[in-house]
Amino acid sequence: MENELIEQRKKKLQQLKDIGLSGVSLFPNDFKPIHEADKVLTSYKGFSEEELKNLSKELSLAGRVMALRDFGKSIFFHIKDRTGDIQGYIRRDIIGDENLKFFKDYVDIGDFIGIKGNLFKTKTDELTINVKEFRLLTKALRPLPEKWHGLKDVETRYRQRYLDLISNPEVKEIFFKRTKITKLIRQFFDERGFVEVETPILHPIAGGAAARPFKTYHNALDMELFLRIAPELYLKRLVIGGFERIYEIGRTFRNEGTSTQHNPEFTMIELYQAYATYEDLMDLIEELICFVTETILGTLEFKYGDMQINMTRPWKRINIIESLRSVVGDEFLESDEKLFRKADSFGISHKGIRGKAIVEIFERIVGLEIVDPTFVFGFPFDVSPLARRNDLNHAITDRFELFIAGREFANAFSELNDPIDQNERFIKQVELKAKGEEEVHEMDEDYITALEHGMPPTAGAGIGIDRLVMLLTNSPSIREVIFFPHLRPE
RNA sequence: GAGCCGUUAGCUCAGGCUGGUAGAGCAUCUGCCUUUUAAGCAGAGGGUCGCAGGUUCGAGUCCUGCACGGCUCACCA
């Protein structure tokens, strides 16, 4: 048996049916609101009582009832539409005895109603609709969370996000900002001649990154498929096809644990620009993120948690090896044994890969301490199988990552466009896999064939959108910027 | 996967250390109230205290296991 509150509301719905407003639906859809709460409030903000009285215009709004204050012969209430909240006022001498009784008997907090009436100002100067007509549009059978404290329980907030959105206005703001951010990113690249494209999410080979994929199956083709772990290799095929400036914003899937910074499906943008180098992309990304930040926040200096972030350009650019030398000395770089011993002391699973040990040590010692945006370059060759080798130093690649607030936000490099080199690097990855290394890049012969047709010199980057949204909305967890984060079933 | 914390009414929370059969505010219901806005006043109903065991005469409280969630760590972006 459901609880009393639901029973009561179901009973009201049944009674409405029994009243038998013949031919009238209990869930009507023919009420068309003409006005919006927020617009009404701003347009008539400065009007005096007298001026409002002289307006002959009748307003028509619809929304969810958020609060009710019953005075016997009159009722105050608030409704919420997509733009905001507005107060309504119902009095017996205007609406009549029967209508007032109907409202009292059948309209509950949480229901949707449509109202028509004129504006007036209350004693406390609140613009209010003096209701002449109202209609019950949708009866809610379950009560809303508490009006004052809102909904706090994190689990309920995520599982029933609609309740979170109804009762916690700041949550809605975060998601409005999220939309705005992706729009700004699109605007930025569109203005620079980039073309937005869509590439497959179902991949026969999960390439473009080293991560465990989700597996799925195509019945008609009788084949195993993977949800993409990166769009990279398809986007580069498009560069080969002549799309010299492209980007894709979309969902990517990695079969790994969740945390405050990881969701199994997340959104990133990948972009590719022919005839550019990774250094050009540093400038571009700097410009992009400053543009987005300034438009969203109106400033380049802001707080994220306890951290004060300053995005003023130019951003710092540091070399991984050099930054480690200056912090821990260069002793550990003398030999593999010393390097691996150092990595072991941090509990790093380097699996005997030099580059991996170096990068992981960097992230723990230097990366975590980075606050203001910093480009980190000099990525070792052996952990960058898709990146172009540096012309002067063959141990590293022309690759960088962007760190802000101790986290990685972007990964970019000059693309490897030598098909023979790429083939050898894939073969090395396959050898690593044979040795038991799980997260390696897969061999993709079709991609090699594409490269053999010639890819212009190109640089590409990937930027985590969720993390950017976290940063710009001061959200401590990725779950706060994803409507429905993954949780275990109840 | 490991450690720590949490789970009590529809919602927000007390109670738990020191065991004696569950409380507040909001919401709901009844009555009064025609400018309130966390409306007010008077009254009422509402709980397998996350689940399963154990200890005990007696468990919301103590113990064990499990589930779900949060945080930290590990892996990753």
Side-chain angles (χ1 to χ4, degrees):
Chain A
M1 140 120 183
E2 279 162 320
N3 82 58
E4 186 193 355
L5 299 171
I6 298 171
E7 282 301 312
Q8 282 164 358
R9 291 187 177 216
K10 279 195 170 162
K11 203 169 147 196
K12 286 184 190 181
L13 193 65
Q14 186 55 47
Q15 283 168 352
L16 284 168
K17 212 179 254 176
D18 294 343
I19 294 170
L21 303 163
S22 58
V24 179
S25 170
L26 279 177
F27 292 88
N29 64 354
D30 59 332
F31 185 90
K32 306 289 181 192
I34 301 165
H35 304 95
E36 293 158 16
D38 187 55
K39 277 205 188 116
V40 168
L41 295 181
T42 42
S43 334
Y44 298 102
K45 201 175 165 190
F47 281 54
S48 69
E49 190 83 33
E50 202 54 30
E51 285 169 319
L52 289 174
K53 214 171 262 177
N54 293 333
L55 285 174
S56 54
K57 194 169 162 188
E58 194 181 67
L59 300 171
S60 158
L61 296 101
R64 190 192 287 275
V65 177
M66 298 302 291
L68 274 178
R69 291 176 290 280
D70 182 352
F71 282 80
K73 294 184 184 63
S74 72
I75 301 167
F76 282 97
F77 62 90
H78 274 91
I79 58 168
K80 180 198 284 296
D81 68 16
R82 70 172 191 279
T83 68
D85 291 30
I86 191 164
Q87 182 168 252
Y89 180 51
I90 287 185
R91 35 190 297 168
R92 188 172 67 169
D93 55 9
I94 289 176
I95 203 147
D97 221 358
E98 228 168 88
N99 286 326
L100 183 73
K101 186 170 169 9
F102 182 92
F103 194 97
K104 284 195 185 194
D105 285 348
Y106 295 111
V107 177
D108 289 308
I109 292 173
D111 294 352
F112 282 88
I113 61 171
I115 57 171
K116 288 180 180 175
N118 296 92
L119 267 185
F120 75 104
K121 258 185 188 172
T122 63
K123 280 180 182 166
T124 49
D125 250 14
E126 178 168 350
L127 280 167
T128 301
I129 308 284
N130 194 4
V131 177
K132 300 218 166 82
E133 282 176 51
F134 71 87
R135 279 180 71 191
L136 177 59
L137 302 180
T138 303
K139 185 96 202 108
L141 297 181
R142 292 174 184 267
L144 248 33
E146 207 231 8
K147 62 178 172 187
W148 188 243
H149 299 91
L151 179 65
K152 290 228 173 97
D153 184 75
V154 181
E155 194 172 343
T156 310
R157 285 188 50 231
Y158 296 158
R159 287 193 199 278
Q160 294 176 277
R161 182 67 91 176
Y162 47 92
L163 293 178
D164 191 27
L165 292 166
I166 293 165
S167 39
N168 300 321
E170 66 282 3
V171 173
K172 222 168 151 187
E173 279 311 309
I174 288 176
F175 288 100
F176 278 135
K177 270 191 189 166
R178 181 176 176 125
T179 299
K180 210 169 162 190
I181 288 167
T182 53
K183 274 193 174 160
L184 288 166
I185 293 173
R186 286 194 164 94
Q187 184 192 326
F188 181 90
F189 285 107
D190 292 344
E191 279 169 0
R192 284 161 180 74
F194 284 76
V195 177
E196 181 170 10
V197 298
E198 291 181 277
T199 61
I201 285 173
L202 296 175
H203 288 190
I205 298 167
R212 293 225 306 273
F214 285 94
K215 282 182 196 166
T216 185
Y217 181 76
H218 191 297
N219 290 334
L221 295 181
D222 185 26
M223 70 184 291
E224 190 172 51
L225 288 167
F226 304 92
L227 301 190
R228 69 177 176 195
I229 55 174
E232 174 147 358
L233 299 184
Y234 283 96
L235 289 171
K236 285 195 276 199
R237 283 174 173 96
L238 293 181
V239 175
I240 293 165
F243 282 89
E244 294 178 347
R245 295 185 180 199
I246 48 168
Y247 69 93
E248 175 164 8
I249 293 177
R251 214 64 66 79
T252 301
F253 308 83
R254 296 192 185 172
N255 206 340
E256 276 142 12
T258 64
S259 79
T260 49
Q261 287 166 72
H262 301 88
N263 195 58
E265 50 183 299
F266 62 102
T267 302
M268 63 178 205
I269 174 172
E270 277 201 10
L271 59 112
Y272 291 84
Q273 180 176 353
Y275 312 110
T277 66
Y278 76 121
E279 284 170 313
D280 297 325
L281 290 192
M282 286 190 199
D283 295 336
L284 191 70
I285 287 174
E286 207 175 285
E287 220 178 299
L288 166 74
I289 293 183
C290 285
F291 164 68
V292 173
T293 302
E294 200 144 32
T295 312
I296 295 288
L297 299 178
T299 173
L300 291 176
E301 293 174 43
F302 58 96
K303 286 203 99 165
Y304 180 73
D306 297 330
M307 278 178 268
Q308 180 66 39
I309 315 260
N310 186 348
M311 283 198 174
T312 309
R313 300 176 69 186
W315 293 352
K316 244 185 280 171
R317 301 181 179 195
I318 64 171
N319 179 298
I320 293 180
I321 299 277
E322 296 312 316
S323 71
L324 280 177
R325 271 191 222 281
S326 63
V327 177
V328 290
D330 37 28
E331 227 175 87
F332 74 100
L333 290 166
E334 284 167 4
S335 68
D336 282 3
E337 290 96 296
K338 284 185 180 171
L339 173 64
F340 292 143
R341 209 178 305 141
K342 186 83 188 171
D344 289 337
S345 74
F346 285 100
I348 289 166
S349 59
H350 50 76
K351 291 164 187 161
I353 303 168
R354 250 186 90 81
K356 188 160 183 172
I358 290 171
V359 170
E360 294 285 326
I361 294 172
F362 170 84
E363 280 182 10
R364 287 205 185 34
I365 297 183
V366 183
L368 281 175
E369 301 298 320
I370 290 172
V371 177
D372 294 337
T374 302
F375 291 113
V376 175
F377 63 94
F379 274 80
F381 173 76
D382 55 8
V383 291
S384 313
L386 300 170
R388 187 179 192 277
R389 221 189 255 267
N390 186 273
D391 284 337
L392 302 175
N393 179 356
H394 277 200
I396 61 169
T397 53
D398 287 346
R399 172 184 170 193
F400 70 85
E401 287 189 352
L402 170 63
F403 278 75
I404 308 171
R407 294 175 190 166
E408 189 193 328
F409 278 76
N411 179 21
F413 38 86
S414 296
E415 304 297 338
L416 174 61
N417 62 345
D418 173 348
I420 293 164
D421 189 356
Q422 184 67 76
N423 191 45
E424 283 166 8
R425 296 216 214 162
F426 276 150
I427 289 169
K428 262 191 206 132
Q429 292 287 308
V430 172
E431 285 167 8
L432 278 176
K433 193 175 188 181
K435 282 187 199 160
E437 172 76 16
E438 253 193 87
E439 290 177 359
V440 296
H441 289 249
E442 297 285 338
M443 165 62 78
D444 189 337
E445 285 174 7
D446 183 75
Y447 176 65
I448 299 290
T449 304
L451 276 187
E452 284 168 355
H453 287 89
M455 179 168 79
T458 300
I463 305 168
I465 304 275
D466 310 275
R467 289 187 179 175
L468 186 60
V469 176
M470 286 169 70
L471 184 73
L472 298 183
T473 56
N474 196 17
S475 301
S477 166
I478 199 169
R479 298 183 193 102
E480 294 297 332
V481 303
I482 291 174
F483 274 128
F484 300 101
H486 278 281
L487 302 178
R488 285 171 201 275
E490 277 176 289

